[in-house]
Amino acid sequence: MDFPMKAMQAAEEKDIPDSITLGQLKALMPSNPKPRQSIYDFRYEDEDTVSNEIEEFYSYVEMPQVGENWRAWQGSFEGDWIKSSFARRKAHVEILLESLEHRDAEIRFVNARRLQYVLQGKLDLIP
């Protein structure tokens, strides 16, 4: 005989009911108090750290792509992007945009990642 059948027979022999009444349920509730809601540690400010802001903006699925864009950007521009002149940055973006029409898909893909990195704000985060 399997376990559920044995348990049912034992309950019948001892005359144990298989359900409880509403009164019995209400009597049990004070012994099980409601759990208190946990307090979250939110900081209500206009802005947070850069990494926390990025974490809120991107889903967890997209975060590895930010790192891939950063790796694609490495070595594609000599010097400091922020300190470079507008004309130099514009020329580099134009080169990247033109390369999106290249016949080699790998070149198009890498340069699209570089453009996306710049458009995301050139985060300079180490993934």
Side-chain angles (χ1 to χ4, degrees):
M1 200 182 299
D2 60 333
F3 176 74
M5 293 299 290
K6 286 181 181 178
M8 286 176 52
Q9 282 182 346
E12 289 173 2
E13 290 172 6
K14 294 181 182 178
D15 199 28
I16 299 173
D18 62 348
S19 62
I20 62 173
T21 65
L22 182 58
Q24 291 170 328
L25 180 61
K26 286 182 179 180
L28 288 173
M29 289 312 294
S31 64
N32 292 328
K34 290 182 182 178
R36 292 188 145 196
Q37 184 178 5
S38 61
I39 299 172
Y40 297 103
D41 187 23
F42 289 121
R43 291 180 8 191
Y44 296 100
E45 297 178 8
D46 286 342
E47 60 186 40
D48 203 350
T49 63
V50 173
S51 56
N52 285 347
E53 290 288 339
I54 292 168
E55 213 173 278
E56 291 174 11
F57 186 73
Y58 293 103
S59 71
Y60 291 103
V61 175
E62 295 170 323
M63 284 310 291
Q65 293 173 354
V66 173
E68 291 170 11
N69 295 346
W70 178 80
R71 285 187 289 281
W73 175 259
Q74 295 301 306
S76 70
F77 186 80
E78 292 200 21
D80 188 356
W81 178 263
I82 303 298
K83 293 178 182 176
S84 295
S85 68
F86 174 77
R88 186 165 178 237
R89 287 184 285 170
K90 180 180 175 186
H92 188 70
V93 168
E94 287 174 352
I95 290 169
L96 293 175
L97 286 170
E98 287 175 15
S99 71
L100 295 179
E101 296 180 13
H102 197 279
R103 66 180 147 162
D104 184 351
E106 184 65 27
I107 291 173
R108 289 193 312 264
F109 188 69
V110 168
N111 287 324
R113 284 196 175 282
R114 290 172 176 163
L115 280 169
Q116 188 174 10
Y117 180 72
V118 170
L119 293 171
Q120 288 170 329
K122 191 169 173 326
L123 307 171
D124 277 341
L125 296 176
I126 298 174

